[in-house]
PDB file of all heavy atoms in Angstrom:
ATOM      1  N   ASP Q1182     108.152 241.916 189.394  1.00 97.00           N
ATOM      2  CA  ASP Q1182     108.732 243.236 189.138  1.00 97.00           C
ATOM      3  C   ASP Q1182     107.796 244.292 189.704  1.00 97.00           C
ATOM      4  O   ASP Q1182     106.613 244.328 189.360  1.00 97.00           O
ATOM      5  CB  ASP Q1182     108.920 243.445 187.632  1.00 97.00           C
ATOM      6  CG  ASP Q1182     109.705 244.688 187.283  1.00 97.00           C
ATOM      7  OD1 ASP Q1182     109.818 245.612 188.136  1.00 97.00           O
ATOM      8  OD2 ASP Q1182     110.205 244.765 186.152  1.00 97.00           O
ATOM      9  N   GLU Q1183     108.305 245.139 190.582  1.00 96.00           N
ATOM     10  CA  GLU Q1183     107.460 246.169 191.182  1.00 96.00           C
ATOM     11  C   GLU Q1183     107.082 247.277 190.202  1.00 96.00           C
ATOM     12  O   GLU Q1183     106.145 248.029 190.453  1.00 96.00           O
ATOM     13  CB  GLU Q1183     108.137 246.761 192.416  1.00 96.00           C
ATOM     14  CG  GLU Q1183     109.442 247.458 192.115  1.00 96.00           C
ATOM     15  CD  GLU Q1183     110.169 247.901 193.353  1.00 96.00           C
ATOM     16  OE1 GLU Q1183     109.965 247.317 194.434  1.00 96.00           O
ATOM     17  OE2 GLU Q1183     110.956 248.852 193.245  1.00 96.00           O
ATOM     18  N   ASP Q1184     107.778 247.367 189.081  1.00 97.00           N
ATOM     19  CA  ASP Q1184     107.452 248.358 188.055  1.00 97.00           C
ATOM     20  C   ASP Q1184     106.347 247.787 187.162  1.00 97.00           C
ATOM     21  O   ASP Q1184     106.602 246.988 186.264  1.00 97.00           O
ATOM     22  CB  ASP Q1184     108.694 248.685 187.229  1.00 97.00           C
ATOM     23  CG  ASP Q1184     108.460 249.778 186.208  1.00 97.00           C
ATOM     24  OD1 ASP Q1184     107.347 249.851 185.640  1.00 97.00           O
ATOM     25  OD2 ASP Q1184     109.400 250.555 185.964  1.00 97.00           O
ATOM     26  N   ARG Q1185     105.108 248.177 187.424  1.00 94.00           N
ATOM     27  CA  ARG Q1185     103.967 247.610 186.712  1.00 94.00           C
ATOM     28  C   ARG Q1185     104.057 247.824 185.205  1.00 94.00           C
ATOM     29  O   ARG Q1185     103.764 246.917 184.423  1.00 94.00           O
ATOM     30  CB  ARG Q1185     102.670 248.226 187.235  1.00 94.00           C
ATOM     31  CG  ARG Q1185     101.433 247.645 186.576  1.00 94.00           C
ATOM     32  CD  ARG Q1185     100.147 248.340 187.022  1.00 94.00           C
ATOM     33  NE  ARG Q1185      98.996 247.741 186.420  1.00 94.00           N
ATOM     34  CZ  ARG Q1185      98.631 247.914 185.151  1.00 94.00           C
ATOM     35  NH1 ARG Q1185      99.340 248.669 184.354  1.00 94.00           N
ATOM     36  NH2 ARG Q1185      97.549 247.321 184.685  1.00 94.00           N
ATOM     37  N   ILE Q1186     104.444 248.991 184.773  1.00 96.00           N
ATOM     38  CA  ILE Q1186     104.534 249.288 183.341  1.00 96.00           C
ATOM     39  C   ILE Q1186     105.532 248.351 182.663  1.00 96.00           C
ATOM     40  O   ILE Q1186     105.255 247.780 181.603  1.00 96.00           O
ATOM     41  CB  ILE Q1186     104.889 250.761 183.100  1.00 96.00           C
ATOM     42  CG1 ILE Q1186     103.730 251.641 183.575  1.00 96.00           C
ATOM     43  CG2 ILE Q1186     105.212 251.032 181.639  1.00 96.00           C
ATOM     44  CD1 ILE Q1186     104.033 253.124 183.607  1.00 96.00           C
ATOM     45  N   ARG Q1187     106.690 248.164 183.263  1.00 97.00           N
ATOM     46  CA  ARG Q1187     107.703 247.281 182.698  1.00 97.00           C
ATOM     47  C   ARG Q1187     107.230 245.823 182.708  1.00 97.00           C
ATOM     48  O   ARG Q1187     107.414 245.088 181.740  1.00 97.00           O
ATOM     49  CB  ARG Q1187     109.006 247.439 183.486  1.00 97.00           C
ATOM     50  CG  ARG Q1187     110.155 246.617 182.950  1.00 97.00           C
ATOM     51  CD  ARG Q1187     111.439 246.929 183.666  1.00 97.00           C
ATOM     52  NE  ARG Q1187     111.305 246.813 185.119  1.00 97.00           N
ATOM     53  CZ  ARG Q1187     112.070 247.468 185.976  1.00 97.00           C
ATOM     54  NH1 ARG Q1187     113.017 248.294 185.558  1.00 97.00           N
ATOM     55  NH2 ARG Q1187     111.901 247.309 187.278  1.00 97.00           N
ATOM     56  N   ARG Q1188     106.603 245.402 183.822  1.00 96.00           N
ATOM     57  CA  ARG Q1188     106.121 244.022 183.933  1.00 96.00           C
ATOM     58  C   ARG Q1188     105.049 243.738 182.874  1.00 96.00           C
ATOM     59  O   ARG Q1188     105.117 242.727 182.167  1.00 96.00           O
ATOM     60  CB  ARG Q1188     105.556 243.761 185.338  1.00 96.00           C
ATOM     61  CG  ARG Q1188     105.185 242.322 185.591  1.00 96.00           C
ATOM     62  CD  ARG Q1188     104.646 242.085 186.996  1.00 96.00           C
ATOM     63  NE  ARG Q1188     103.374 242.760 187.208  1.00 96.00           N
ATOM     64  CZ  ARG Q1188     103.194 243.851 187.928  1.00 96.00           C
ATOM     65  NH1 ARG Q1188     104.200 244.413 188.552  1.00 96.00           N
ATOM     66  NH2 ARG Q1188     102.003 244.390 188.049  1.00 96.00           N
ATOM     67  N   VAL Q1189     104.083 244.618 182.737  1.00 94.00           N
ATOM     68  CA  VAL Q1189     103.015 244.430 181.755  1.00 94.00           C
ATOM     69  C   VAL Q1189     103.569 244.460 180.330  1.00 94.00           C
ATOM     70  O   VAL Q1189     103.172 243.655 179.486  1.00 94.00           O
ATOM     71  CB  VAL Q1189     101.906 245.485 181.953  1.00 94.00           C
ATOM     72  CG1 VAL Q1189     100.915 245.466 180.801  1.00 94.00           C
ATOM     73  CG2 VAL Q1189     101.191 245.245 183.282  1.00 94.00           C
ATOM     74  N   ALA Q1190     104.508 245.346 180.060  1.00 96.00           N
ATOM     75  CA  ALA Q1190     105.113 245.411 178.723  1.00 96.00           C
ATOM     76  C   ALA Q1190     105.834 244.109 178.392  1.00 96.00           C
ATOM     77  O   ALA Q1190     105.736 243.605 177.262  1.00 96.00           O
ATOM     78  CB  ALA Q1190     106.077 246.594 178.631  1.00 96.00           C
ATOM     79  N   PHE Q1191     106.548 243.545 179.368  1.00 96.00           N
ATOM     80  CA  PHE Q1191     107.247 242.286 179.129  1.00 96.00           C
ATOM     81  C   PHE Q1191     106.254 241.152 178.881  1.00 96.00           C
ATOM     82  O   PHE Q1191     106.415 240.364 177.941  1.00 96.00           O
ATOM     83  CB  PHE Q1191     108.172 241.940 180.296  1.00 96.00           C
ATOM     84  CG  PHE Q1191     108.912 240.656 180.078  1.00 96.00           C
ATOM     85  CD1 PHE Q1191     110.023 240.624 179.253  1.00 96.00           C
ATOM     86  CD2 PHE Q1191     108.493 239.476 180.670  1.00 96.00           C
ATOM     87  CE1 PHE Q1191     110.707 239.439 179.020  1.00 96.00           C
ATOM     88  CE2 PHE Q1191     109.173 238.292 180.450  1.00 96.00           C
ATOM     89  CZ  PHE Q1191     110.280 238.275 179.623  1.00 96.00           C
ATOM     90  N   ILE Q1192     105.229 241.056 179.714  1.00 95.00           N
ATOM     91  CA  ILE Q1192     104.218 240.011 179.546  1.00 95.00           C
ATOM     92  C   ILE Q1192     103.538 240.150 178.186  1.00 95.00           C
ATOM     93  O   ILE Q1192     103.339 239.161 177.473  1.00 95.00           O
ATOM     94  CB  ILE Q1192     103.186 240.054 180.692  1.00 95.00           C
ATOM     95  CG1 ILE Q1192     103.837 239.680 182.028  1.00 95.00           C
ATOM     96  CG2 ILE Q1192     101.980 239.172 180.393  1.00 95.00           C
ATOM     97  CD1 ILE Q1192     104.366 238.274 182.112  1.00 95.00           C
ATOM     98  N   ASP Q1193     103.200 241.368 177.793  1.00 94.00           N
ATOM     99  CA  ASP Q1193     102.577 241.590 176.488  1.00 94.00           C
ATOM    100  C   ASP Q1193     103.502 241.184 175.344  1.00 94.00           C
ATOM    101  O   ASP Q1193     103.045 240.674 174.322  1.00 94.00           O
ATOM    102  CB  ASP Q1193     102.167 243.060 176.326  1.00 94.00           C
ATOM    103  CG  ASP Q1193     100.974 243.438 177.187  1.00 94.00           C
ATOM    104  OD1 ASP Q1193     100.308 242.527 177.729  1.00 94.00           O
ATOM    105  OD2 ASP Q1193     100.716 244.645 177.325  1.00 94.00           O
ATOM    106  N   ALA Q1194     104.807 241.401 175.511  1.00 95.00           N
ATOM    107  CA  ALA Q1194     105.767 241.057 174.460  1.00 95.00           C
ATOM    108  C   ALA Q1194     106.024 239.555 174.383  1.00 95.00           C
ATOM    109  O   ALA Q1194     106.196 239.001 173.296  1.00 95.00           O
ATOM    110  CB  ALA Q1194     107.083 241.801 174.684  1.00 95.00           C
ATOM    111  N   ILE Q1195     106.049 238.873 175.518  1.00 94.00           N
ATOM    112  CA  ILE Q1195     106.412 237.454 175.526  1.00 94.00           C
ATOM    113  C   ILE Q1195     105.235 236.528 175.230  1.00 94.00           C
ATOM    114  O   ILE Q1195     105.418 235.446 174.668  1.00 94.00           O
ATOM    115  CB  ILE Q1195     107.087 237.064 176.881  1.00 94.00           C
ATOM    116  CG1 ILE Q1195     107.861 235.761 176.758  1.00 94.00           C
ATOM    117  CG2 ILE Q1195     106.077 236.956 178.002  1.00 94.00           C
ATOM    118  CD1 ILE Q1195     109.080 235.832 175.921  1.00 94.00           C
ATOM    119  N   THR Q1196     104.028 236.936 175.566  1.00 92.00           N
ATOM    120  CA  THR Q1196     102.864 236.054 175.417  1.00 92.00           C
ATOM    121  C   THR Q1196     102.696 235.506 173.997  1.00 92.00           C
ATOM    122  O   THR Q1196     102.494 234.294 173.834  1.00 92.00           O
ATOM    123  CB  THR Q1196     101.586 236.752 175.909  1.00 92.00           C
ATOM    124  OG1 THR Q1196     101.748 237.062 177.299  1.00 92.00           O
ATOM    125  CG2 THR Q1196     100.366 235.870 175.731  1.00 92.00           C
ATOM    126  N   PRO Q1197     102.821 236.318 172.949  1.00 90.00           N
ATOM    127  CA  PRO Q1197     102.664 235.749 171.601  1.00 90.00           C
ATOM    128  C   PRO Q1197     103.765 234.750 171.218  1.00 90.00           C
ATOM    129  O   PRO Q1197     103.602 233.981 170.279  1.00 90.00           O
ATOM    130  CB  PRO Q1197     102.729 236.966 170.682  1.00 90.00           C
ATOM    131  CG  PRO Q1197     102.509 238.147 171.542  1.00 90.00           C
ATOM    132  CD  PRO Q1197     102.964 237.764 172.911  1.00 90.00           C
ATOM    133  N   ARG Q1198     104.874 234.746 171.945  1.00 91.00           N
ATOM    134  CA  ARG Q1198     105.994 233.849 171.627  1.00 91.00           C
ATOM    135  C   ARG Q1198     105.976 232.552 172.439  1.00 91.00           C
ATOM    136  O   ARG Q1198     106.832 231.692 172.255  1.00 91.00           O
ATOM    137  CB  ARG Q1198     107.304 234.580 171.897  1.00 91.00           C
ATOM    138  CG  ARG Q1198     107.492 235.806 171.027  1.00 91.00           C
ATOM    139  CD  ARG Q1198     108.777 236.525 171.399  1.00 91.00           C
ATOM    140  NE  ARG Q1198     109.043 237.610 170.501  1.00 91.00           N
ATOM    141  CZ  ARG Q1198     108.870 238.882 170.794  1.00 91.00           C
ATOM    142  NH1 ARG Q1198     108.419 239.238 171.972  1.00 91.00           N
ATOM    143  NH2 ARG Q1198     109.139 239.820 169.913  1.00 91.00           N
ATOM    144  N   LEU Q1199     105.034 232.410 173.350  1.00 91.00           N
ATOM    145  CA  LEU Q1199     105.016 231.254 174.250  1.00 91.00           C
ATOM    146  C   LEU Q1199     104.609 229.955 173.575  1.00 91.00           C
ATOM    147  O   LEU Q1199     104.956 228.878 174.059  1.00 91.00           O
ATOM    148  CB  LEU Q1199     104.063 231.504 175.416  1.00 91.00           C
ATOM    149  CG  LEU Q1199     104.607 232.368 176.536  1.00 91.00           C
ATOM    150  CD1 LEU Q1199     103.522 232.618 177.568  1.00 91.00           C
ATOM    151  CD2 LEU Q1199     105.806 231.740 177.184  1.00 91.00           C
ATOM    152  N   ALA Q1200     103.849 230.026 172.523  1.00 90.00           N
ATOM    153  CA  ALA Q1200     103.361 228.820 171.861  1.00 90.00           C
ATOM    154  C   ALA Q1200     104.154 228.578 170.575  1.00 90.00           C
ATOM    155  O   ALA Q1200     103.759 229.031 169.511  1.00 90.00           O
ATOM    156  CB  ALA Q1200     101.874 228.953 171.563  1.00 90.00           C
ATOM    157  N   PRO Q1201     105.288 227.841 170.662  1.00 88.00           N
ATOM    158  CA  PRO Q1201     106.143 227.652 169.493  1.00 88.00           C
ATOM    159  C   PRO Q1201     105.573 226.682 168.458  1.00 88.00           C
ATOM    160  O   PRO Q1201     106.077 226.607 167.350  1.00 88.00           O
ATOM    161  CB  PRO Q1201     107.442 227.121 170.083  1.00 88.00           C
ATOM    162  CG  PRO Q1201     107.020 226.409 171.318  1.00 88.00           C
ATOM    163  CD  PRO Q1201     105.851 227.203 171.848  1.00 88.00           C
ATOM    164  N   VAL Q1202     104.519 225.951 168.834  1.00 88.00           N
ATOM    165  CA  VAL Q1202     103.866 225.046 167.894  1.00 88.00           C
ATOM    166  C   VAL Q1202     102.368 225.341 167.880  1.00 88.00           C
ATOM    167  O   VAL Q1202     101.803 225.814 168.868  1.00 88.00           O
ATOM    168  CB  VAL Q1202     104.114 223.558 168.262  1.00 88.00           C
ATOM    169  CG1 VAL Q1202     105.577 223.206 168.158  1.00 88.00           C
ATOM    170  CG2 VAL Q1202     103.604 223.242 169.649  1.00 88.00           C
ATOM    171  N   ASP Q1203     101.732 225.068 166.765  1.00 90.00           N
ATOM    172  CA  ASP Q1203     100.296 225.292 166.647  1.00 90.00           C
ATOM    173  C   ASP Q1203      99.528 224.421 167.625  1.00 90.00           C
ATOM    174  O   ASP Q1203      99.921 223.303 167.932  1.00 90.00           O
ATOM    175  CB  ASP Q1203      99.826 224.991 165.224  1.00 90.00           C
ATOM    176  CG  ASP Q1203     100.336 226.000 164.213  1.00 90.00           C
ATOM    177  OD1 ASP Q1203     100.682 227.127 164.622  1.00 90.00           O
ATOM    178  OD2 ASP Q1203     100.375 225.658 163.016  1.00 90.00           O
ATOM    179  N   GLY Q1204      98.419 224.949 168.107  1.00 91.00           N
ATOM    180  CA  GLY Q1204      97.536 224.175 168.959  1.00 91.00           C
ATOM    181  C   GLY Q1204      97.662 224.442 170.442  1.00 91.00           C
ATOM    182  O   GLY Q1204      96.804 224.020 171.210  1.00 91.00           O
ATOM    183  N   LEU Q1205      98.716 225.119 170.873  1.00 92.00           N
ATOM    184  CA  LEU Q1205      98.847 225.437 172.297  1.00 92.00           C
ATOM    185  C   LEU Q1205      97.987 226.658 172.616  1.00 92.00           C
ATOM    186  O   LEU Q1205      97.799 227.528 171.780  1.00 92.00           O
ATOM    187  CB  LEU Q1205     100.300 225.721 172.667  1.00 92.00           C
ATOM    188  CG  LEU Q1205     101.294 224.580 172.459  1.00 92.00           C
ATOM    189  CD1 LEU Q1205     102.683 225.010 172.894  1.00 92.00           C
ATOM    190  CD2 LEU Q1205     100.867 223.336 173.193  1.00 92.00           C
ATOM    191  N   VAL Q1206      97.460 226.699 173.819  1.00 90.00           N
ATOM    192  CA  VAL Q1206      96.668 227.844 174.262  1.00 90.00           C
ATOM    193  C   VAL Q1206      97.411 228.542 175.395  1.00 90.00           C
ATOM    194  O   VAL Q1206      98.142 227.917 176.154  1.00 90.00           O
ATOM    195  CB  VAL Q1206      95.256 227.425 174.716  1.00 90.00           C
ATOM    196  CG1 VAL Q1206      94.446 226.900 173.547  1.00 90.00           C
ATOM    197  CG2 VAL Q1206      95.302 226.401 175.819  1.00 90.00           C
ATOM    198  N   THR Q1207      97.230 229.840 175.500  1.00 91.00           N
ATOM    199  CA  THR Q1207      97.911 230.610 176.538  1.00 91.00           C
ATOM    200  C   THR Q1207      96.946 230.956 177.664  1.00 91.00           C
ATOM    201  O   THR Q1207      95.738 231.034 177.467  1.00 91.00           O
ATOM    202  CB  THR Q1207      98.530 231.902 175.977  1.00 91.00           C
ATOM    203  OG1 THR Q1207      97.508 232.689 175.388  1.00 91.00           O
ATOM    204  CG2 THR Q1207      99.605 231.596 174.947  1.00 91.00           C
TER     205      THR Q1207
END
Side-chain angles (χ1 to χ4, degrees):
D1182 189 341
E1183 63 186 25
D1184 184 325
R1185 182 184 182 285
I1186 294 171
R1187 183 174 53 205
R1188 187 179 66 254
V1189 170
F1191 180 79
I1192 293 296
D1193 288 347
I1195 198 69
T1196 299
R1198 298 177 174 105
L1199 280 176
V1202 296
D1203 291 338
L1205 299 181
V1206 294
T1207 58

